[in-house]
């Protein structure tokens, strides 16, 4: 706390509290003390120089031989470093989720068994799916096609190749009939493995961009060329 024993003894713990101290946690502590119960809480207190710090505290009642409550013992541990790491991680996660939600490309996270964990809004739009029904869907339920219009074998799907080959796949082209309206959508896809310490693929991240207009323009240009010839 930065205070000496003489400065603390006989004074209320309120002297350590400040703007970031959780009032709800203080209410829970007060109610437990009134009931004579042990309580564990995480709380922000302030040191003598005004700096906030996080502590994990356990407050336990002490009773005498007659069962009468005599005092409380509070054991506190400084967890500021851990809390700061948690807050940094939470901010980093929020930043990545913001990018994930707003990037103008379809992004899907798959398990190693190819089941979909999460798809961003652009992916849902391109596939014509919704978040509730797409979660848990394995690759085998999709019907992708090659540029020549023939069905693409499931083993050649980007996610399946990444799981098998354990390497990044770049620039794969596939077509898919959008579930919502049946429109043929062409996408250029890259897939990235997430590998654990043992070298096993645990998840696969796929990113794909809608190039339907480009493919349609190429098809139309080829038709004009053939007609001219």
């Amino acid at each position: 706390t930065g205070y000496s024993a003489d400065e603390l003894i006989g004074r209320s713990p309120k002297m350590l509290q400040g703007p970031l101290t959780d009032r709800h946690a203080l209410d829970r502590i007060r109610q437990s003390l009134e009931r004579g119960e042990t309580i564990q809480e995480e709380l922000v207190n302030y040191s003598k120089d005004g700096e906030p710090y996080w502590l994990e505290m356990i407050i336990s009642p002490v009773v005498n031989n007659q069962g009468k409550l005599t005092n409380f013992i509070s054991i506190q541990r400084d967890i500021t470093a851990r809390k700061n790491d948690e807050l940094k991680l939470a901010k980093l996660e929020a930043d990545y989720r913001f990018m994930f939600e707003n990037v103008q490309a379809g992004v899907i996270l798959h398990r190693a068994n190819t089941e979909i964990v999460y798809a961003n809004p652009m992916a849902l739009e391109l596939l014509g799916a919704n978040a509730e029904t797409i979660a848990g869907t394995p690759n085998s339920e999709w019907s992708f096609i090659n540029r020549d219009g023939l069905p693409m074998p499931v083993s050649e799907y980007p996610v399946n190749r990444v799981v098998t080959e354990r390497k990044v796949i770049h620039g794969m082209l596939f077509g898919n009939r959008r579930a919502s309206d049946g429109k043929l959508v062409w996408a250029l896809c890259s897939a990235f493995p997430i590998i654990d310490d043992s070298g096993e693929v645990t998840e696969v991240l796929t990113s794909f961009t809608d190039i339907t207009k480009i493919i349609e323009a190429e098809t139309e240009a080829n038709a004009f060329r053939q007609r001219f010839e």
Side-chain angles (χ1 to χ4, degrees):
T1 66
Y3 291 97
S4 67
D6 290 338
E7 291 173 309
L8 285 176
I9 292 174
R11 298 189 63 184
S12 168
K14 290 181 179 179
M15 65 180 290
L16 301 175
Q17 298 166 13
L20 296 179
T21 306
D22 186 352
R23 300 298 148 184
H24 297 294
L26 294 177
D27 287 340
R28 290 192 294 271
I29 292 172
R30 177 180 51 79
Q31 292 165 8
S32 293
L33 295 181
E34 290 173 352
R35 293 191 296 264
E37 299 172 346
T38 296
I39 185 171
Q40 179 173 339
E41 283 286 350
E42 293 181 355
L43 199 68
V44 173
N45 269 358
Y46 287 78
S47 60
K48 185 177 180 178
D49 60 7
E51 286 296 312
Y53 63 92
W54 277 93
L55 59 91
E56 181 182 70
M57 63 192 311
I58 299 176
I59 305 177
S60 302
V62 178
V63 296
N64 60 19
N65 293 334
Q66 289 74 41
K68 182 181 178 181
L69 177 67
T70 58
N71 51 325
F72 291 89
I73 293 181
S74 174
I75 300 175
Q76 304 179 5
R77 184 166 62 94
D78 188 344
I79 58 170
T80 305
R82 191 194 82 196
K83 277 295 183 177
N84 287 341
D85 289 341
E86 289 176 358
L87 292 173
K88 289 177 183 177
L89 185 61
K91 185 180 184 305
L92 187 63
E93 183 178 349
D95 291 342
Y96 275 117
R97 182 163 292 277
F98 177 81
M99 291 186 287
F100 193 65
E101 294 285 350
N102 293 281
V103 66
Q104 294 303 300
V107 182
I108 298 179
L109 181 65
H110 302 257
R111 295 188 178 90
N113 64 1
T114 78
E115 289 181 355
I116 292 176
V117 177
Y118 184 80
N120 75 343
M122 183 58 70
L124 297 175
E125 180 180 333
L126 294 177
L127 295 173
N130 62 71
E132 290 73 24
T133 58
I134 200 172
T137 303
N139 260 5
S140 57
E141 293 192 18
W142 299 96
S143 300
F144 297 153
I145 63 173
N146 287 311
R147 182 69 177 87
D148 57 11
L150 296 176
M152 178 184 288
V154 174
S155 60
E156 295 182 11
Y157 287 7
V159 175
N160 297 69
R161 282 189 57 190
V162 165
V163 172
T164 302
E165 301 173 21
R166 291 189 292 183
K167 65 180 183 180
V168 177
I169 303 296
H170 284 294
M172 278 194 65
L173 175 66
F174 67 85
N176 176 63
R177 292 283 178 188
R178 193 158 55 196
S180 57
D181 56 11
K183 177 179 173 58
L184 178 59
V185 176
W186 290 96
L188 201 61
C189 178
S190 295
F192 309 87
I194 300 173
I195 299 175
D196 63 16
D197 293 339
S198 64
E200 295 299 317
V201 176
T202 58
E203 293 175 313
V204 178
L205 189 70
T206 58
S207 173
F208 51 98
T209 305
D210 184 358
I211 60 168
T212 304
K213 292 182 179 179
I214 297 175
I215 297 297
E216 290 175 345
E218 288 180 355
T219 302
E220 186 176 357
N222 288 334
F224 277 123
R225 187 180 303 111
Q226 291 173 9
R227 189 180 307 168
F228 177 76
E229 291 173 353

